[in-house]
Amino acid sequence: MAATTRRDVMRALLDGYGRTYAAEAGIRLTDTPQPLYRLLVLAGLLSARIRAGTAVAAAKELTAAGMRDPRRMAAATWQQRVDALGRGGYRRYDERTATQLGEGAELAAERYGGDLRRLRDEAGGDTAAIRRGLQEFPGVGPAGADIFLREAQAVWPQAAPYLDAKALQGARALGLPTTPAALLPLADGTQPAVLASALVRVALDKTAPRSVREAAHA
C-alpha cells in the first residue's frame, strides 16, 4: 500500500471512528480526580465481555445517579449500583460489578485519597508500573488497565503514545503500520488517545475495515 493511500485510510479512519470512549460517556477528561475516577469506572465496565455501547450507557447511568467519585460510589448501596447498571442495560454482570465498584471505590479512597494521580506519581510516571497499579482495582484486569491508559494518555502525556495490542490489531486490519512511530505521522497531529480509540473501534467491529477502505477510496 502506497504512503498516500495509507494517509487516505488514516483520514477515513479518524473521520469515521475518531472519538474516545470517555467523550462518548460524557467524561470531559482533565487531569483532576473526578474525571480520572469516572474513567477508571468506565474502563472496568468496558473490559467485560459486553457491548461497548452498553458499558458506556451504564457509566452514564452511574454518573446520573451521583456516583461520580469514590466517596459517593462507596456511600451508595449495593442495590443502588445494581439499579444504575441495569438502567444502562448492563445486566449480565450487574451484581458482581456492583460489588467490585464498591470495593474499588474504597480502595481508591483509602489508598489514594480518591485521586488517581497519586497512583501515577507513586509509579514515578512509569507506564508499566501504572498499569500494574490499576489492576489492583477489582474488575480492572489487563484489558481494563489498557483501556484506562489509552484514554488517560490525553491528559497523562508521560503515558503517550499508548497503542496497545488491541489498537494495533485495528491497524493491522486496515493494512496500516503496526508501530506507534509509523502510525503517528500518518495521523497528522491527531491526539494518540483519539487514534488509539479509533483503531480499537475497528478491531471490535468486523464490518469497520471494509467501511474505512470504502470511505478512503470514495
Side-chain angles (χ1 to χ4, degrees), residues 20-92:
T20 65
Y21 286 101
E24 187 177 344
I27 302 170
R28 185 176 176 273
L29 198 57
T30 57
D31 190 22
T32 52
Q34 189 178 111
L36 291 171
Y37 174 71
R38 290 174 61 193
L39 176 60
L40 179 68
V41 169
L42 176 63
L45 296 174
L46 283 167
S47 65
R49 294 180 179 276
I50 201 162
R51 289 180 59 253
T54 301
V56 167
K60 288 182 174 180
E61 288 294 339
L62 288 165
T63 296
M67 302 174 220
R68 299 178 176 86
D69 57 46
R71 181 180 64 80
R72 292 184 177 93
M73 182 68 78
T77 67
W78 177 83
Q79 190 62 54
Q80 286 172 328
R81 293 192 290 267
V82 168
D83 290 346
L85 292 167
R87 288 193 296 273
Y90 203 90
R91 296 186 178 87
R92 183 177 176 187

Side-chain angles (χ1 to χ4, degrees), residues 8 15 20 36 40 51-52 59 61 75 83 103 118 123 130 148 172 189 198-200:
D8 290 339
D15 285 347
T20 65
L36 291 171
L40 179 68
R51 289 180 59 253
E61 288 294 339
D83 290 346
E103 293 172 349
R118 294 188 185 181
I130 295 170
F148 181 93
R172 192 174 298 110
L199 290 170
V200 167

Side-chain angles (χ1 to χ4, degrees), residues 109-179:
E110 292 170 6
R111 180 161 181 182
Y112 301 111
D115 188 348
L116 293 174
R117 294 175 300 182
R118 294 188 185 181
L119 184 157
R120 176 197 65 198
D121 295 344
E122 284 183 16
D126 178 72
T127 303
I130 295 170
R131 188 173 184 269
R132 289 193 296 272
L134 290 167
Q135 291 178 64
E136 294 180 6
F137 288 92
V140 181
D146 284 337
I147 294 166
F148 181 93
L149 285 165
R150 284 199 307 258
E151 302 270 325
Q153 67 181 316
V155 293
W156 287 2
Q158 59 269 65
Y162 196 87
L163 300 175
D164 65 326
K166 182 60 71 174
L168 296 180
Q169 179 185 331
R172 192 174 298 110
L174 293 172
L176 292 171
T178 54
T179 64

